[in-house]
Each structure stands twice: as structure tokens, then as C-alpha cells.
Amino acid sequence: VQLVESGGGSVQPGGSLRLSCEVSGLIFEDYIIGWFRQAPGKEREAVSSIGTRDSSEFYAHPVKGRFLISSDNAKNTVYLQMNNLKPEDTAVYYCSAGYPPDYSDYVDPEQFDYWGQGTQVTVSS
């Protein structure tokens, strides 16, 4: 199983980035694909997740209204469009695949079995 993130970089506050997560080695539609992030000295936190079969979506409160998750099942790829970025969004962003039993478990990284290597997002003026 491989999850490969791309699209990270450095932007000024208010800018946008689109992260991509290409998944291989598993049945894409059987999994929830989640984005998590980890800033230096902080715990890994949930950002957004999507059910690739039913397109159900989850957004953490700090990113609601600014980030948009989507999936292209034909390409086994999930995207995270990040708009109006803030300095507090600075972190390493990780893509993950799992099958949390309940919607409330989408925030728990322990419910996700497979992880990418991460991509750095830096928001600074």
C-alpha cells in the first residue's frame, strides 16, 4: 500500500494550495481517506476526511469554510484544496487510509491504517 502526497509549499497568508494524495495497493472505494497535520511540538490532528464510496465529508472546525476535500475515484486520488491559509495552518500534512467505524472516529489517527510520508505546508509573510 502506498499513499503519496504532493502539492505542499510556502505561501503567504491568504494564499491557496492544493494537496494531492495518490493511493495504490488497496481498493480505493473501501476506505476513508483522511488528511491530518502535525506542527512542531504538537500532536497530530485531523483536518478533513472523505468517504470515497459515498463522498461523505468531515472537516475539523479550524478549517471549515476554507478547505475543500474531493476525490477522483478513477485516479485513486484525493485532493485537499486549502484557501485563505493562515500561519496556524503551517504543519506537515499527512494523507491516510482507514475505516473508522463511526463518523465521530474520523478525528482519531489511530483509526487509520496506512499513511503517506507527509508534505510540508508553510504559511508565512
Side-chain angles (χ1 to χ4, degrees):
V1 177
Q2 274 196 312
L3 290 84
V4 180
E5 303 101 332
S6 61
S10 296
V11 295
Q12 293 186 340
S16 297
L17 285 172
R18 190 177 81 154
L19 304 184
S20 299
C21 173
E22 185 172 356
V23 181
S24 61
L26 52 75
I27 301 174
F28 190 68
E29 291 82 0
D30 285 349
Y31 285 82
I32 306 298
I33 304 300
W35 286 98
F36 290 77
R37 67 186 182 187
Q38 189 165 19
K42 293 189 176 182
E43 292 188 354
R44 192 167 296 190
E45 64 175 1
V47 175
S48 181
S49 297
I50 188 166
T52 52
R53 186 179 298 275
D54 62 5
S55 298
S56 58
E57 298 175 6
F58 161 82
Y59 296 95
H61 180 73
V63 307
K64 275 184 180 178
R66 300 190 296 124
F67 290 12
L68 181 65
I69 194 169
S70 61
S71 69
D72 184 337
N73 290 17
K75 296 182 178 180
N76 282 10
T77 299
V78 170
Y79 304 97
L80 185 68
Q81 178 67 44
M82 307 187 295
N83 300 320
N84 190 22
L85 282 161
K86 303 177 180 180
E88 50 264 43
D89 294 318
T90 295
V92 177
Y93 283 69
Y94 297 91
C95 178
S96 59
Y99 205 80
D102 295 306
Y103 186 77
S104 60
D105 295 316
Y106 285 20
V107 301
D108 183 1
E110 297 294 324
Q111 300 294 335
F112 290 81
D113 302 311
Y114 305 104
W115 292 84
Q117 80 288 352
T119 186
Q120 177 70 47
V121 171
T122 301
V123 185
S124 174
S125 56

